Amino acid sequence: MVLTSDHECNSIDKILCSEVGSDDIELDLRKQINAYSVANNSHRVTGQEDVEQQHGDDTLPRKRGSSVYRWLRFTALSYYRKLFTLVFVANLIAAVIFLVRYSQTDFDDHIALAQNICAANIFAAALVRNEHVVNLLFLACAWVPRSAPLWLRDHFARVFHYGGLHSGAGVSGVVWFAIYWALVVKDAALHSQTNTPRIVAILVINSTCLIVFIIIPVSAYPKFRVRHHNYFECLHRFLGWTAIVLFWVLLFVSTGSTAQAQGRPYAVCLYKSAAFWLLLLITLLIVYPWTRLRKRHVIPEALSSHAIRLHFDYAPVALCQGIRISTRPLLEWHSFATIPESSADKGFSLIVSKAGDWTSRQIEQKPVRIWIRGAPIYGVLRIATIFNRIVVVATGSGIGPCLSLLSPYEIPCRILWSTRDPITTYGQAIIDEVYRVDPDAVVINARRARQADQCGGCLCYCKSLRNERSRVRHESAKYMCLRSHLGFHPR
């Protein structure tokens, strides 16, 4: 099961992938869904209560375990946090070993080693965010055959939590830089009478760089990131660039001190420094996406006052890929899932719905040119191909990523889409595409449903898929988003 929503739907962090039944069993939903049919081209737009009444003839299963267990199992110990913890704890163990052996070896070697490990962590954090590396991760996990055990596919399907590696390596890099800073301060205290101007310069640059490094992960704290996303994006970008520039300056100045102390040529010391090569790779990873910055022609298609569809024709995209677009390249970027054009011509489109000031401006202004940066990147739906059956649950413009999953993969698919006034908001063409992917899709007019019960119909609908045939087994590898996570998963 895949669940997407119109809130940050194009940078999906959570997904529910459930495999319903086995290959030799066909799920026939027409008898249950035809009760909602309307005379408008057989397109069925229902209210949430209808789904609950039709599919919820008996009570849903109770949530398993206590509330504390559910919090630990499904929230505190998410795969993202497990990956973060794995990277961070590995670095903490290395830091403890480093500090224990600190007094047993040469002091200068420890300063250089701390600097190198810090640079290695920053390089890992930058590398895992590179679009080509992300694409390789998704492709590698998508190669897992459907004949593999479900528990194995379950683990591979969680590849979208790779952000835990990014944040774990980034925070670890800050810790190592703090260790490096402490060693440099101690070294400066021991040599306070020699070459004072250079020592003062190193201390000032070190302290400034440490402050910048600390602000970056603090500004990425989830609550601040959600409430002040534009500020977070600017801080993360500009302070990240500032930190790398300061790191370069620090490397050049400290290498000069090392060359003078060892009586070796400056170029030789720089060439043999691992931090130099790691910083060079980090810089290339940061610069690379900007070398692909282009202002592309776009054909706007107004769907309603709430949504717009943007068509691009400069290149084809693979299924389940997304792009980043912007009107102010240095300040903000927004990721959107693409919908490949059904015609033979190359091109794709994306759906923008009103979710904030930026999306509202695009709907009102109907841009004809827009900035695009980097290469298209795979999204979570790419790994849906490793399952035999999927149920897609979407709200609002979250249907966009779902429409990327079309017929070439031939995956039995069921769609439940809940949105306000679907035909009025998104137009008949989008409704047609939904039913082209799944002729038995259920489209819910959320205006007729209470907002507090948005996942109730989804629960009942998915329960009916499981119980429709007594022989159907409900095997699941589960991930969810928002409140629905705790609605589905503990059951």
Side-chain angles (χ1 to χ4, degrees):
M1 174 176 299
V2 178
L3 189 144
T4 63
S5 70
D6 53 356
H7 179 68
E8 297 294 330
C9 66
N10 302 293
S11 55
I12 308 169
D13 295 312
K14 308 277 169 69
I15 178 177
L16 171 66
C17 293
S18 297
E19 184 169 293
V20 183
S22 56
D23 288 334
D24 59 334
I25 298 178
E26 292 296 330
L27 295 177
D28 182 7
L29 300 178
R30 292 188 179 127
K31 292 181 181 178
Q32 298 187 42
I33 300 174
N34 280 343
Y36 317 136
S37 296
V38 294
N40 184 13
N41 298 323
S42 298
H43 290 159
R44 299 165 292 276
V45 180
T46 77
Q48 187 113 12
E49 294 87 349
D50 298 329
V51 180
E52 293 176 1
Q53 291 173 7
Q54 182 71 15
H55 300 289
D57 53 346
D58 51 7
T59 58
L60 291 166
R62 296 185 61 183
K63 294 181 179 180
R64 293 174 296 177
S66 65
S67 58
V68 175
Y69 166 79
R70 293 196 300 269
W71 180 81
L72 288 172
R73 173 66 179 85
F74 306 121
T75 303
L77 298 179
S78 66
Y79 260 61
Y80 180 97
R81 291 177 177 175
K82 287 178 182 177
L83 290 175
F84 175 92
T85 303
L86 176 66
V87 175
F88 188 69
V89 169
N91 274 276
L92 281 183
I93 293 173
V96 171
I97 296 173
F98 174 89
L99 294 174
V100 168
R101 296 184 177 182
Y102 163 68
S103 59
Q104 302 176 5
T105 57
D106 186 70
F107 185 77
D108 291 333
D109 288 344
H110 272 77
I111 294 180
L113 181 58
Q115 186 183 53
N116 292 340
I117 298 176
C118 172
N121 274 282
I122 297 173
F123 168 71
L127 181 66
V128 78
R129 282 296 189 188
N130 179 267
E131 50 261 44
H132 297 295
V133 173
V134 173
N135 287 341
L136 285 175
L137 287 174
F138 273 95
L139 287 174
C141 293
W143 285 336
V144 177
R146 297 183 192 177
S147 58
L150 184 60
W151 64 265
L152 181 63
R153 286 177 286 154
D154 174 16
H155 290 295
F156 278 101
R158 304 181 191 231
V159 64
F160 60 90
H161 283 300
Y162 65 87
L165 299 175
H166 168 78
S167 56
V171 173
S172 299
V174 175
V175 172
W176 278 105
F177 193 88
I179 295 174
Y180 170 72
W181 174 85
L183 294 177
V184 169
V185 170
K186 183 175 182 179
D187 182 61
L190 294 176
H191 302 87
S192 58
Q193 304 302 321
T194 60
N195 208 354
T196 302
R198 176 172 290 177
I199 290 178
V200 171
I202 291 176
L203 289 177
V204 170
I205 298 171
N206 251 307
S207 301
T208 305
C209 197
L210 178 62
I211 293 172
V212 173
F213 270 131
I214 291 175
I215 294 175
I216 292 173
V218 169
S219 66
Y221 185 71
K223 289 185 178 179
F224 178 85
R225 179 174 180 170
V226 171
R227 294 177 182 176
H228 310 283
H229 184 77
N230 289 344
Y231 291 109
F232 152 75
E233 190 172 352
C234 289
L235 286 172
H236 216 66
R237 179 176 297 114
F238 293 118
L239 289 183
W241 293 350
T242 302
I244 298 305
V245 170
L246 289 174
F247 211 152
W248 272 114
V249 175
L250 181 62
L251 177 65
F252 290 140
V253 176
S254 60
T255 301
S257 297
T258 302
Q260 184 179 26
Q262 297 180 356
R264 301 168 64 187
Y266 179 87
V268 173
C269 291
L270 194 64
Y271 175 81
K272 291 188 175 182
S273 171
F276 169 76
W277 297 107
L278 288 168
L279 273 177
L280 183 61
L281 292 174
I282 293 168
T283 304
L284 292 175
L285 286 171
I286 294 173
V287 171
Y288 169 73
W290 294 93
T291 63
R292 302 188 63 168
L293 180 67
R294 302 289 188 274
K295 198 168 189 178
R296 299 292 187 181
H297 175 70
V298 58
I299 302 173
E301 177 190 352
L303 301 176
S304 68
S305 60
H306 182 80
I308 188 173
R309 188 171 184 176
L310 304 180
H311 296 266
F312 299 84
D313 59 3
Y314 69 91
V317 294
L319 295 178
C320 306
Q321 282 192 326
I323 61 171
R324 289 169 289 186
I325 63 176
S326 176
T327 53
R328 300 182 295 173
L330 289 177
L331 298 181
E332 59 180 336
W333 286 89
H334 301 267
S335 298
F336 290 89
T338 61
I339 306 171
E341 296 291 353
S342 56
S343 63
D345 298 333
K346 65 180 182 181
F348 59 92
S349 63
L350 55 89
I351 299 175
V352 179
S353 67
K354 188 178 294 186
D357 54 351
W358 187 87
T359 53
S360 298
R361 286 198 302 269
Q362 308 317 305
I363 295 171
E364 294 172 2
Q365 298 173 1
K366 299 177 179 59
V368 294
R369 293 181 69 84
I370 202 163
W371 290 100
I372 294 179
R373 175 169 64 94
I377 188 171
Y378 281 116
V380 292
L381 280 171
R382 183 62 183 87
I383 51 88
T385 58
I386 69 177
F387 295 98
N388 294 317
R389 284 181 176 83
I390 62 170
V391 177
V392 177
V393 181
T395 63
S397 61
I399 197 64
C402 304
L403 294 179
S404 295
L405 198 65
L406 298 175
S407 57
Y409 288 118
E410 297 181 352
I411 306 174
C413 173
R414 290 293 177 264
I415 295 177
L416 189 149
W417 180 29
S418 176
T419 186
R420 293 193 174 194
D421 299 324
I423 296 178
T424 303
T425 304
Y426 294 97
Q428 192 64 55
I430 299 297
I431 306 295
D432 291 340
E433 289 197 46
V434 171
Y435 284 106
R436 181 163 59 87
V437 176
D438 176 21
D440 291 325
V442 172
V443 180
I444 299 173
N445 185 353
R447 187 176 293 278
R448 295 169 54 188
R450 292 171 299 175
Q451 188 174 4
D453 296 330
Q454 283 296 301
C455 69
C458 301
L459 289 167
C460 297
Y461 179 69
C462 298
K463 182 173 180 286
S464 74
L465 291 179
R466 182 192 63 190
N467 293 333
E468 185 186 7
R469 299 282 183 86
S470 59
R471 294 177 56 203
V472 172
R473 293 181 300 122
H474 186 197
E475 301 173 333
S476 59
K478 304 178 180 178
Y479 318 74
M480 280 299 291
C481 67
L482 304 176
R483 292 181 309 175
S484 301
H485 171 74
L486 294 179
F488 281 104
H489 210 156
R491 291 179 167 88

